[in-house]
Structures are given as structure tokens and as C-alpha cells.
Amino acid sequence: RRLAEEGLRLPQRSERASEEMLLFYEVVTRATRRLVLSYPAMNEKAEPLLPSPFLIDVERILPQIAAARTDASDMRPIPQATAGYSPSDRRVLAMHEALNGKPERLAALVIDANGGRYGAIGTNAVGANAIAALRTNDSRKGDAFGPMEGMLASAAAKRLLGERYGAGRVWSASQFEAYAYCPMRYFFEHVLHLQAAEEIELATDSRQRGRLLHAALAGAHRGLNAAQQSHASPLDAVDAFRRGYEQQLKALAEQLRRDSELDAVLMDIDAKMLADLIDQYVEQHRAYDAMPAGLRPAHFEVSFGFPIENEALADPLSTPTPLVLRRGEEEIRVGGRIDRIDLAAVEEADAARFGIVDYKTGKPIAKKSRAELADDGRRLQLDLYALAVEQVLLADRRAVGVHSGYWHVTASGFDVWQSMHEISEGEADNDWGATEGWMQRRERLVNLVFALVRGIRDGQFPVYCPDDECTKFCSFKTVCRVHQTRSLEKQWPPT
């Protein structure tokens, strides 16, 4: 009565607040023996939370309520009630008691409901799930990954993987990098062919924007080389290159435009963003052209190892012949598509000097992370491309790689990833020697590729990712248990 009389007459309350107070009064006055008012004391970040204004008013009106306040500081998920309030609470309580030497409650869950005995627990879903959980947790003990963490052990699974990924398969560098980054995600995407549901969001497509940029730059460079009748830099004819780029961009945007008005608007935004980059790209070429190797853009979107879709539009260097890596009698075939191959002007009798460029629209890779990314296989695309140019695409010209690198169009331009050959001071112009880093990398690269392929063929797809923030962007984060394996400090590959 006091709560109703004083609470509903509180001044400066809006009509809605009064209605909520009345509803609160109706609820709390339904209790017949005891009433418990509670609220969470902290959020998921362990930050303190304040009680509801209603509770504050109740304590003000009824001081004895404030005197009876207690804090429940036990953060464990174990129910305090002996019997448990719900089926889930009873399962948690049963497991907790079993781990502390009291298996009776868990045994009651496992006993077959029909027969009243231990045995065919399949008819008792609760018991079956409890036993399965115990077996799963037990199998995860130890330092090594097990069958419950992505390591396929059955002969049938390995036979299927051996057939699918046998000696005749042509691999791509992106597949190696995907497996090195996260074997379990590779299993989901490339072995099971699972497709994550796309998130509905109002935003431009970064992947489509990247494809547009690659195609527009390739078309503009081809047009400039044809007009100059040589391997030319955009600085040789800035206006002509800019016009060619804008024309290519416009034509490609029209080809990719969809029927939806929204898609058309988003496409226009992408095209506008890319059009604004051309002046920056031309200026980036100024620093690139000044490098001592004298490389100029020559070939674009060059494919190797896979069938050529349109020979009329394909680059003359493109070939279905793959790069073949050998170790003993074992071979691994590799294919791919190279964004750009630059060549230096040399005498016909001299070895061809080349550089490899891979366009990027994202942020540059931190220099401190490069060695780690190269050693574990997360970045081996450019190195494999360099071997493909040497051994397949320009093998008849005794090709010598100068460097490979990423061209960050939206950032600082060309960034050398690997210096392959260099000329010593005082030597002849055609006397280029392999760098120590490149000689070490070549040997390491072959061993790394064979190790990755062996892992896939053997069914090794552990729940492991070297990127601590992988779940921020992964489409399979809701079915991944990488945080559990990290808590056990398991490493991959094993030392």
C-alpha cells in the first residue's frame, strides 16, 4: 500500500513512466510469500551496472528492503540449488558433481529411460550428449591435436582425400595460403564446399572493386604499350594512359552493372573511387621507374597451369602448362594468374630481367610480420609466381627475376616483397647474381609446399590459426572452436 501511494504520486513523472510504475506495482504485489528483486551487478566486460530506478524507489520508500540487500558474487555457472531449476541446470549440476566424486546424478541421466539400465543410451538424448561431451573433452587432452580437433584418422577419409588431391591435381597459390592460414577453414570451404550465408549490409563490394581495378589497369597498360609499340610507363604518355584507364573503367562497370537500382548506385560509387586513384597511381610510377633495374610494364593477367578461357583476349605469355615442383620422384603442379610482369630492355642474347607486381587495394603488410608470413606459408604466392616465370613463362629466355612485390594503389605504391637478383657494383649490366635471401627462400619454398600438400592429403585440418583476431572476420566463427584449442596452448605444425 505504501509503495502504491507514494510511488505513483512521485512528481515529474511522465505519463509513460507512471504506466511503467503501475505495471511494476502490479507485478510485485502478486507475490504471496516472498519477493526477490535482482539485477546484474556487472556487464560482460566486468563493468559495474546500476540498479533500475524502480528498485531505488522501493528502497527509499521501504528502508527495510535496503537493509536486506545481499550481493551474490559467485560468478560460476554452477546452479546453487540442489535439484536445479531447469533441465540445463540439472545437466550442469550433474557434471559438476561427477567431477567432484559424486556420479549419481550423472548416472541417472545416462541410464536408458526405457530399460532402466546402462546400455543403449541412444534413446536418451541427454545422456548420450553428456557421454559424447566427456569423450570429446577427454580426446582433447595432451599437446597434440586429435580427431575432435580436425585430424581425420579414418582410412576411408584419407583415401577420398588422396583421390581428390592426387598427383594430377593443379594447385593454386591461394589454396596453399588458405590452408596455411587456417586448416579448419580450408576444410570447410575447399573440402566440404560449405558456403557461409552472406551478411546483408548496405556497402560496396571490396572484392568487386579489386577486380575492377585489376582489369582497368591491365586494359590501360595494354593500350599504352600498343600505341607506343614498346613496354611503356604511364609517365611516357600520362594523358593517353589516363583516358585509357577511364574508358576501361567505364566499360567494365557497364558490364558488371546489375538490374537493381541499388546495385547500380553502389557500382557507380566503386567506379568513382577507382577513377580518383589514377593520378596517385601515375605518381607512384615515378618512384618505381627510377629503380635501377629499369623494368617497364609488359604482360598483364598472365595465366599458367589452367585452361585458357579466351585465347583471343589472353596475354601472349599465358599457357596451360603448370609449374612443376619436384622432390625425388614426387611432383606437385601449380597454376595461377599473375597481375603484371615487368621486363627490362635488354639485348636479345642476354637473359631477360623481370619483376612481378601484384595489385592491392588494402593496407600494406607490416614489415615485422613478413618473415613469419613467408615461413609458415601464408604468403608464398609471389615466390611461386617468380618460379613460374623463370621455369615456364620465360624459360626460353633464361629469365632472371629482379624483384617481386605488392603495389598498394591506395597507399604508398610499389613495395618490394622479395629481392631475387642484383648486380654488384662494377659488374657488367648482364651479370646479375641471386641474392642470399632468394637462394634460401627457393629451397625453403619447395619444402613448405610439399608439407602443406602432405597435410591436406593426410586429413590434417586442426583447429588452429596463427592470427589471434581471426574470428573478427571469419564466416565460420560460429562453428569454430579455436579459442578452446588456444586455451590449451596447442601449436601447429608440431615442433
Side-chain angles (χ1 to χ4, degrees), residues 319-337:
T319 175
T321 303
L323 167 67
V324 180
L325 303 179
R326 294 180 175 88
R327 195 172 64 179
E329 298 181 355
E330 191 175 1
E331 296 182 348
I332 293 178
R333 293 170 172 81
V334 182
R337 174 175 290 183

Side-chain angles (χ1 to χ4, degrees), residues 303-380:
S303 66
F304 64 96
F306 298 113
I308 301 175
E309 298 178 359
N310 191 332
E311 294 187 4
L313 299 178
D315 190 276
L317 276 187
S318 294
T319 175
T321 303
L323 167 67
V324 180
L325 303 179
R326 294 180 175 88
R327 195 172 64 179
E329 298 181 355
E330 191 175 1
E331 296 182 348
I332 293 178
R333 293 170 172 81
V334 182
R337 174 175 290 183
I338 305 173
D339 289 350
R340 181 174 130 186
I341 301 175
D342 295 352
L343 296 177
V346 297
E347 298 295 333
E348 187 173 346
D350 294 337
R353 297 200 303 270
F354 72 89
I356 294 176
V357 172
D358 191 80
Y359 293 118
K360 294 293 182 184
T361 56
K363 297 180 179 179
I365 302 172
K367 292 186 181 297
K368 64 179 181 180
S369 304
R370 294 188 179 188
E372 179 182 352
L373 293 171
D375 287 342
D376 64 17
R378 284 180 285 167
R379 283 291 186 277
L380 45 69

Side-chain angles (χ1 to χ4, degrees), residues 115-333:
R117 65 184 185 279
Y118 292 99
I121 63 174
T123 58
N124 182 358
V126 175
N129 292 339
I131 294 299
L134 288 172
R135 288 173 174 165
T136 299
N137 290 335
D138 184 65
S139 71
R140 290 174 173 170
K141 294 180 180 178
D143 298 330
F145 290 94
M148 292 297 180
E149 296 160 312
M151 306 297 283
L152 306 184
S154 74
K158 292 186 177 182
R159 183 177 65 253
L160 290 174
L161 291 171
E163 294 173 355
R164 182 184 298 184
Y165 302 105
R169 182 183 181 87
V170 178
W171 300 81
S172 69
S174 60
Q175 291 174 338
F176 297 144
E177 292 180 347
Y179 178 74
Y181 178 75
C182 180
M184 179 56 69
R185 179 171 177 174
Y186 182 92
F187 178 70
F188 289 150
E189 292 183 334
H190 297 276
V191 180
L192 299 183
H193 299 293
L194 300 181
Q195 294 183 354
E198 294 185 2
E199 295 185 6
I200 301 176
E201 59 178 350
L202 184 60
T204 57
D205 188 341
S206 59
R207 288 176 297 181
Q208 178 176 266
R209 187 163 59 249
R211 291 191 293 268
L212 268 174
L213 176 68
H214 284 64
L217 287 176
H221 276 292
R222 287 193 186 105
L224 181 63
N225 286 357
Q228 299 286 321
Q229 296 184 351
S230 66
H231 305 152
S233 165
L235 296 173
D236 296 336
V238 175
D239 293 337
F241 182 79
R242 183 185 292 109
R243 286 195 301 271
Y245 175 79
E246 292 172 350
Q247 292 170 0
Q248 289 287 328
L249 196 58
K250 182 178 179 181
L252 291 167
E254 287 295 332
Q255 292 176 10
L256 296 175
R257 192 180 299 275
R258 301 175 183 173
D259 296 333
S260 168
E261 183 176 349
L262 175 60
D263 288 332
V265 172
L266 294 177
M267 176 63 71
D268 290 339
I269 294 174
D270 280 338
K272 178 65 169 60
M273 293 174 61
L274 295 178
D276 293 340
L277 293 175
I278 188 59
D279 291 332
Q280 180 175 331
Y281 175 75
V282 171
E283 283 303 309
Q284 292 168 352
H285 243 286
R286 194 176 302 279
Y288 181 77
D289 293 351
M291 298 177 73
L295 300 174
R296 295 295 181 267
H299 299 279
F300 314 94
E301 302 293 330
V302 181
S303 66
F304 64 96
F306 298 113
I308 301 175
E309 298 178 359
N310 191 332
E311 294 187 4
L313 299 178
D315 190 276
L317 276 187
S318 294
T319 175
T321 303
L323 167 67
V324 180
L325 303 179
R326 294 180 175 88
R327 195 172 64 179
E329 298 181 355
E330 191 175 1
E331 296 182 348
I332 293 178
R333 293 170 172 81

